[in-house]
């Protein structure tokens, strides 16, 4: 590849849904993913939700021949679930864990325990350094009443800031992951607008739904790509589709074609240009099998990286007045989340104070009884003890919640403040 | 400053020890710090442990005339305590919170609640962008048996990685903060070796202990600077000194001159050279007052930034074979921490299982009693309930500890793995 002015990169991205004990037919699917990656021979493979280190180790052994370089990012209680396999040497790695990631008491959602992060690898692809990121953002459990939207926006903002600050040392930035946002959502517009990252699906000169050979869905650069693709009958690059046996069909009722929440994004920093030649997705079951690779569809992009004569400036995909609108919209949502968090902090603080008062009252009554001051019927000992334990339990729980919501308020406030600074800078620019 | 080939920067760094309700004479000291900063007119001011947002707001109002740009970094329950005041416009900010920062149950130390971080501001200083970082690392409570060493090493490593990855977009990197490490400690050697940052104290052509006018302690670049300075009777740039009325004298017994744990570090990235012209520290009480600014001494450096003809390469202050030794040493310590964390995880897991077994036993006994199977003396109800509550309490606590130590193991393991990769790369290099 050395000396070759163009580099053709085949990139694979998949949310593997490989949670030990919980994900259906996990081991079989991980084996199928390994077989396919070995057969297809991509250049870079970005996987999310590989929660079991054993699965990663098995994949590493299996893929070692074709992908000699790999990295598994560790964080949180369960792990980040992120790993990268590469044909090119990995020079350096960095993990950024988002400051907010749901609530520890929402056990049924469990995002808090995952330590959701963006994992960054710096690779040396022949002639140029390439920054390779694999992010995952907080899941959306209810689109109509999305309690996690402010957290996801903080994550999208932190991801954008992280990419902006770390990308200067590379020629090309490549991001592939499950962003848990629809293409028109404010978070994805914020991420793309503020970093200048381009959406491989929107930029692809050829889009092909794997296994059907429907080609020629020509793309023109733009923020939202859906109407064009829908009108041509494409599956719109969706990665959560109704004909995948593991998806929740009721969740997809308002979206008969499915939704697109997994992305490959890229940008050239210095004197390079990147073009997306082709984009593919899988569609449900693996050919010849009754099981898909995951509950998400894989995204596969073929990118062309070419050196050009002069250095390319930063070319954000969103014009600055539009960017200011997007930041304002995101800031409003973060502000709404901030007020909710302040309210929750106040409620848990009040609950802690009430429990403390109850305990003090009980202590006074107990002291009174000891001093022989209680004239009437004594309070039954068992109920008295149960009440005291209940009060202690509530006090501990409420204090924990108060501390947690204090942290949440701090981070939402910090993000809102950063966005305010950026808006001011955007408005002051000539 | 525009068009001027050299830039003279006066930098101020201080750990303010401004904890609401806990720090002695806080408001008076914050007022004194504000007065001095206003009077002295530095270019960049880096403050740590400003835990109260009210103190920051007061300083911002007071200093607004001379330092029109400022930023306060929010994180953790109490906050990061970091803030920056600048004469130059702040273009962008980023906060990186270390993945490990002590233990939540060590309430008497409290580092866990602070959300210790490194705050990064990108400033525009006349003709060049400058990356300005204000870090604080976990405190050292007992040097002989330092239980927090692995956490501090993970923080030093993350700080180094963060600086390496974010510094490419700037011409000059400047870091000022309380690193809680002596100059010869493995953590500071790791940070300096892996980033190429230079220690302003070691590089200063003139070192002056403020208020005494003892000048001419000539410096030559080197890793450790102590023997030279000691032989000339300098105070060795110490920032925790015995004649500060707030320092813990017993802690300083083995170090009669004090210790140096606050640093100003810098490096030039592109076609610039940076030289430290002068370094000063405060020494105890504010002149004419009976109170010092803080329990730490302030560090003040005058830096010269000059454009040079050709781009300067990365010039790490530690040669690569030495760097490999430092990384190996750090990795060994992280490995020790990993084994301790694994042991703690195992102990808390075992405790949780025992509490669960006790609960199940009680449930079986209760069910037996309900079914009329207990032949002998019934267990007193009150003691039975108390025991059940105790078991529930232990179960919850032990589960919490298990989750916490699982996260700790993941992060220590991840850092050890990153260090292994770096060592391999260092050894493979020709």
């Amino acid at each position: 590849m050395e000396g070759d002015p163009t580099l053709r990169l085949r990139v694979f991205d998949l949310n593997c849904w490989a949670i030990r004990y919980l994900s259906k037919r996990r081991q079989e699917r991980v084996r199928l993913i390994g077989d396919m990656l070995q057969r297809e021979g991509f250049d870079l493979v970005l996987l999310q939700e590989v929660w079991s280190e054993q699965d990663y180790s098995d994949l590493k052994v299996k893929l070692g021949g074709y992908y000699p370089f790999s990295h598994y990012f560790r964080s949180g209680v369960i792990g980040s679930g992120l790993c990268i396999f590469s044909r090119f040497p990995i020079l350096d790695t960095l993990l950024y864990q988002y400051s907010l990631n749901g609530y520890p008491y929402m056990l049924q959602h469990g995002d808090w325990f995952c330590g959701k992060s963006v994992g960054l690898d710096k690779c040396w692809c022949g002639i140029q350094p390439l920054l390779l990121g694999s992010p995952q953002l907080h899941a959306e459990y209810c689109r109509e009443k999305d309690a996690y939207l402010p957290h996801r926006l903080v994550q999208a903002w932190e991801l954008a800031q992280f990419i902006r600050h770390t990308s200067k040392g590379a020629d090309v930035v490549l991001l592939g992951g499950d962003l848990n946002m629809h293409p028109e959502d404010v978070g994805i517009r914020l991420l793309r607008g503020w970093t200048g990252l381009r959406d491989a699906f929107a930029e692809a000169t050829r889009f092909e739904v794997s296994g059907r050979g429907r080609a020629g869905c020509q793309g023109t650069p733009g923020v939202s790509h859906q109407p064009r693709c829908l009108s041509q009958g494409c599956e719109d690059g969706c990665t959560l589709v109704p004909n995948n046996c593991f998806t929740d069909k009721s969740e997809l009722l308002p979206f008969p074609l499915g939704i697109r929440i997994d992305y490959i994004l890229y940008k050239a920093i210095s004197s390079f240009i990147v073009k997306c030649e082709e984009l593919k997705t899988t569609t449900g079951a693996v050919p010849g099998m009754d099981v898909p690779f995951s509950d998400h569809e894989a995204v596969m992009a073929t990118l062309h990286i070419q050196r050009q004569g002069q250095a390319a400036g930063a070319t954000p995909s969103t014009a600055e007045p539009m960017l200011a609108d997007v930041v304002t919209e995101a800031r409003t949502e973060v502000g709404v989340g901030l007020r909710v968090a302040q309210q929750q902090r106040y409620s848990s603080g009040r609950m802690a104070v009430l429990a403390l008062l109850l305990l003090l009252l009980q202590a006074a009554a107990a002291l009174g009884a000891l001093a022989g001051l209680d004239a009437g019927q004594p309070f039954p000992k068992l109920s008295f003890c149960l009440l005291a334990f209940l009060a202690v339990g509530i006090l501990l729980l409420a204090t924990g919640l108060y501390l947690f919501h204090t942290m949440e308020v701090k981070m939402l406030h910090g993000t809102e403040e950063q966005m305010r600074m950026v808006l001011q800078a955007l408005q002051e620019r000539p």
Side-chain angles (χ1 to χ4, degrees), chain A:
Chain A
M1 210 159 293
E2 197 82 41
D4 187 352
T6 67
L7 177 72
R8 195 168 171 266
L9 271 188
R10 292 183 65 224
V11 186
F12 178 91
D13 166 66
L14 175 65
N15 175 330
C16 297
W17 188 48
I19 312 165
R20 226 170 359 177
Y21 315 120
L22 286 179
S23 301
K24 287 175 196 154
R25 300 174 73 174
R26 188 191 101 244
Q27 284 168 309
E28 182 187 357
R29 291 189 292 106
V30 170
R31 207 178 55 245
L32 284 172
I33 292 169
D35 291 343
M36 183 267 297
L37 291 177
Q38 208 172 21
R39 201 171 52 237
E40 291 283 333
F42 293 94
D43 296 300
L44 300 164
V45 174
L46 305 149
L47 303 180
Q48 300 94 50
E49 294 203 4
V50 181
W51 301 119
S52 150
E53 278 198 50
Q54 189 53 52
D55 285 343
Y56 166 72
S57 301
D58 293 348
L59 282 173
K60 193 177 169 174
V61 170
K62 189 175 213 165
L63 302 176
Y66 195 84
Y67 307 90
F69 307 96
S70 65
H71 190 74
Y72 186 75
F73 296 93
R74 289 178 184 86
S75 81
V77 179
I78 308 172
S80 72
L82 309 172
C83 60
I84 288 177
F85 291 89
S86 162
R87 275 186 50 221
F88 306 105
I90 295 172
L91 305 178
D92 210 345
T93 67
L94 186 64
L95 184 78
Y96 185 94
Q97 204 172 331
Y98 311 119
S99 61
L100 287 180
N101 188 30
Y103 305 98
Y105 51 83
M106 297 300 269
L107 292 172
Q108 75 276 29
H109 293 160
D111 289 67
W112 187 84
F113 294 91
C114 304
K116 289 216 171 142
S117 324
V118 51
L120 218 61
D121 274 355
K122 199 166 170 184
C123 297
W124 189 259
C125 294
I127 44 166
Q128 64 266 49
L130 181 134
L131 204 70
L132 193 63
S134 185
Q136 193 181 17
L137 268 58
H138 198 292
E140 183 188 77
Y141 295 97
C142 173
R143 194 160 176 82
E144 285 68 44
K145 211 179 165 186
D146 183 10
Y148 299 112
L149 179 59
H151 283 211
R152 207 178 306 106
L153 281 175
V154 169
Q155 294 183 340
W157 177 256
E158 288 179 349
L159 175 58
Q161 285 286 80
F162 184 65
I163 294 296
R164 277 168 60 85
H165 281 272
T166 53
S167 58
K168 297 284 161 51
D171 287 328
V172 173
V173 177
L174 186 57
L175 215 71
D178 169 15
L179 300 180
N180 275 312
M181 300 185 285
H182 297 213
E184 72 280 13
D185 283 359
V186 57
I188 194 95
R189 284 183 284 132
L190 181 74
L191 174 64
R192 290 186 51 204
W194 189 224
T195 55
L197 282 165
R198 291 171 178 274
D199 181 357
F201 175 76
E203 305 283 330
T205 46
R206 201 164 73 232
F207 173 67
E208 185 177 325
V209 178
S210 160
R212 301 203 189 172
R214 182 186 294 144
C217 175
Q218 286 285 329
T220 47
V223 176
S224 177
H225 188 67
Q226 270 159 309
R228 178 182 54 76
C229 254
L230 278 169
S231 70
Q232 294 197 14
C234 291
E235 253 80 351
D236 204 20
C238 291
T239 56
L240 275 190
V241 294
N243 68 340
N244 180 310
C245 64
F246 295 133
T247 52
D248 180 354
K249 302 300 171 289
S250 63
E251 213 179 87
L252 293 176
L253 272 183
F255 309 100
L257 285 177
I259 52 177
R260 184 157 77 93
I261 60 172
D262 299 79
Y263 298 82
I264 290 179
L265 305 169
Y266 60 83
K267 72 168 177 174
I269 303 290
S270 51
S271 56
F272 286 85
I273 44 170
V274 186
K275 280 185 181 159
C276 179
E277 187 189 83
E278 189 187 56
L279 194 107
K280 281 186 193 184
T281 72
T282 54
T283 49
V286 179
M289 306 287 291
D290 67 332
V291 64
F293 291 120
S294 166
D295 62 344
H296 285 239
E297 301 306 319
V299 187
M300 294 158 276
T302 307
L303 303 176
H304 265 244
I305 303 175
Q306 200 164 9
R307 193 189 288 276
Q308 65 175 6
Q310 59 195 39
T315 47
S317 59
T318 314
E320 273 187 16
M322 270 175 73
L323 178 59
D325 290 345
V326 174
V327 177
T328 306
E329 197 181 334
R331 195 180 161 222
T332 308
E333 290 292 350
V334 171
V336 170
L338 176 61
R339 279 185 291 282
V340 172
Q342 280 167 333
Q343 182 58 44
Q344 283 171 323
R345 180 176 63 170
Y346 172 74
S347 303
S348 37
R350 194 180 47 184
M351 206 198 287
V353 168
L354 287 176
L356 190 67
L357 281 179
L358 180 62
L359 267 179
L360 290 175
L361 209 70
Q362 283 200 288
L367 283 174
L370 281 176
L373 294 178
D374 55 335
Q377 188 76 8
F379 202 70
K381 265 188 193 164
L382 180 65
S383 311
F384 196 84
C385 274
L386 285 179
L387 195 64
F389 269 104
L390 195 72
V392 169
I394 293 177
L395 178 63
L396 289 177
L397 190 77
T399 308
L401 282 177
Y402 181 81
L403 294 179
F404 179 81
H405 289 302
T406 301
M407 277 198 264
E408 192 189 6
V409 164
K410 282 228 184 299
M411 297 320 301
L412 286 164
H413 196 178
T415 305
E416 209 201 11
E417 179 67 18
Q418 278 188 31
M419 287 176 171
R420 190 194 57 74
M421 274 178 65
V422 165
L423 276 173
Q424 198 178 335
L426 282 174
Q427 280 151 6
E428 275 171 9
R429 250 183 239 181

